[in-house]
């Protein structure tokens, strides 16, 4: 019987960031399937699925709003679930406003 010794954790990530969901299994030779909101997730240009020893990882290279949802790492005997929330990137002022003097040029009559 497989048990997830280190379950998935909920993640809050800014848009366009790389997201890594990872869980650790009690045995290294267990096949898992990843699901998002009930649909199986397959590797693509945007998503990598990695098995390393007893660790199983799903990587979203640049997350977007439509990647939000509930993810499940399913190993038949056991499963681990986590929620991904994607939020807008924090906007930072990289150059502060500067005081500007405006001179009115008028004509003398």
């Amino acid at each position: 019987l497989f048990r997830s010794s280190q379950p998935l954790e909920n993640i809050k990530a800014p848009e366009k960031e790389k997201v890594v969901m990872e869980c650790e299994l009690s045995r290294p030779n267990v096949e898992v399937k990843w699901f998002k909101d009930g649909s199986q997730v397959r590797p693509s240009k945007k998503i990598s699925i990695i098995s390393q020893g007893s660790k199983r990882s799903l990587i979203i290279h640049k997350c977007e709003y439509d990647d939000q949802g509930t993810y499940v790492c399913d190993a038949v005997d056991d499963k681990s679930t986590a929620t991904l929330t994607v939020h807008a990137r924090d906007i930072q002022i990289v150059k502060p406003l500067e005081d500007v003097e405006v001179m009115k040029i008028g004509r003398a009559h």
Side-chain angles (χ1 to χ4, degrees):
L1 179 71
F2 145 83
R3 286 272 169 238
S4 55
S5 54
Q6 185 180 345
L8 293 174
E9 293 181 358
N10 293 338
I11 296 175
K12 290 183 178 180
E15 193 181 16
K16 306 289 186 207
E17 283 296 313
K18 179 178 176 180
V19 171
V20 179
M21 294 192 158
E22 187 175 82
C23 62
E24 194 164 341
L25 314 180
S26 56
R27 294 200 319 261
N29 58 344
V30 177
E31 282 289 316
V32 302
K33 289 182 181 175
W34 288 89
F35 294 88
K36 177 198 170 229
D37 296 333
S39 299
Q40 188 170 351
V41 178
R42 299 187 186 279
S44 64
K45 284 182 188 176
K46 183 180 169 179
I47 294 175
S48 298
I49 295 174
I50 296 171
S51 297
Q52 268 190 321
S54 59
K55 287 187 178 176
R56 301 293 178 269
S57 307
L58 182 141
I59 301 167
I60 302 170
H61 295 288
K62 282 189 177 180
C63 68
E64 297 169 5
Y65 286 113
D66 62 358
D67 295 316
Q68 293 188 117
T70 301
Y71 287 79
V72 176
C73 179
D74 188 343
V76 184
D77 293 334
D78 196 7
K79 54 183 68 170
S80 184
T81 303
T83 302
L84 171 63
T85 307
V86 178
H87 57 84
R89 295 181 75 89
D90 294 332
I91 296 172
Q92 296 178 333
I93 296 172
V94 291
K95 184 177 179 193
L97 292 174
E98 294 175 2
D99 292 336
V100 176
E101 285 186 25
V102 176
M103 297 174 63
K104 278 190 174 177
I105 300 173
R107 291 194 182 147
H109 292 288

